[in-house]
Amino acid sequence: MQYWNERSGREKGLLAVAALLVIFALAQFGVVRPVTAARADASMKLEAASRQLDVVSAELATRSTGTGPAESSEASSGNVRADLLQLANARGLSVSRLQTTDDDRLILQFEQAAPTLVYAWLADADDSYGIVPERVSMFAEPGGYVRASFEFAGGDT
């Protein structure tokens, strides 16, 4: 208290302004910015969850009416590549890369795909044709999307 009383009016004013600036900076960086960042993150997650809910709801509607892609492609062409591409197109998935290796393996890659569509495509491949991937790699991307790669045996058969 003695320190404060020894200061002149001008010094007291400058110290008060400095204290207010420190309090403002602490409030800005300790409260305001984290709250706005959390709100923006929650908004992005809500948007992604809403898109996935729409996909799942549409899937449930097609399954309950019996008009889903799994029922429409009952006959297999005997060609793993053609069957998988047909199922992907029926699901609205676009294959970003399709590669056949020397040892007769088929690699399909999807970029910026909804994970629910990818899982539904895999279920359709197993249900319709009994095709199951031997290797899978899936990575999350911004916006609730995934980047996925699937390796199947017998790409030409």
Side-chain angles (χ1 to χ4, degrees):
M1 195 66 181
Q2 182 184 1
Y3 176 79
W4 184 256
N5 290 332
E6 292 176 354
R7 301 294 129 210
S8 68
R10 181 174 178 217
E11 289 175 335
K12 287 179 184 179
L14 288 174
L15 287 173
V17 168
L20 285 174
L21 287 174
V22 167
I23 291 171
F24 176 75
L26 289 175
Q28 179 70 22
F29 293 111
V31 177
V32 174
R33 287 200 180 178
V35 168
T36 56
R39 186 174 181 172
D41 186 44
S43 176
M44 284 180 29
K45 287 182 179 179
L46 175 65
E47 192 176 314
S50 176
R51 282 194 307 267
Q52 287 184 353
L53 176 64
D54 292 342
V55 169
V56 170
S57 297
E59 175 65 24
L60 286 174
T62 58
R63 295 276 180 181
S64 65
T65 60
T67 59
E71 289 84 2
S72 64
S73 57
E74 292 174 2
S76 173
S77 66
N79 186 338
V80 172
R81 177 186 211 154
D83 293 340
L84 290 173
L85 287 175
Q86 176 187 3
L87 289 174
N89 288 334
R91 282 277 168 208
L93 289 169
S94 62
V95 177
S96 62
R97 185 172 178 200
L98 181 65
Q99 179 181 2
T100 306
T101 63
D102 292 336
D103 57 346
D104 197 31
R105 296 192 178 282
L106 178 68
I107 300 173
L108 278 103
Q109 292 180 347
F110 300 105
E111 300 282 336
Q112 293 285 320
T116 50
L117 288 177
V118 174
Y119 291 132
W121 170 75
L122 280 174
D124 286 347
D126 187 24
D127 293 344
S128 299
Y129 306 117
I131 302 172
V132 179
E134 291 185 351
R135 286 190 190 149
V136 175
S137 61
M138 193 176 275
F139 302 97
E141 290 190 342
Y145 294 107
V146 294
R147 178 174 35 108
S149 176
F150 301 94
E151 185 176 324
F152 298 92
D156 290 339
T157 60

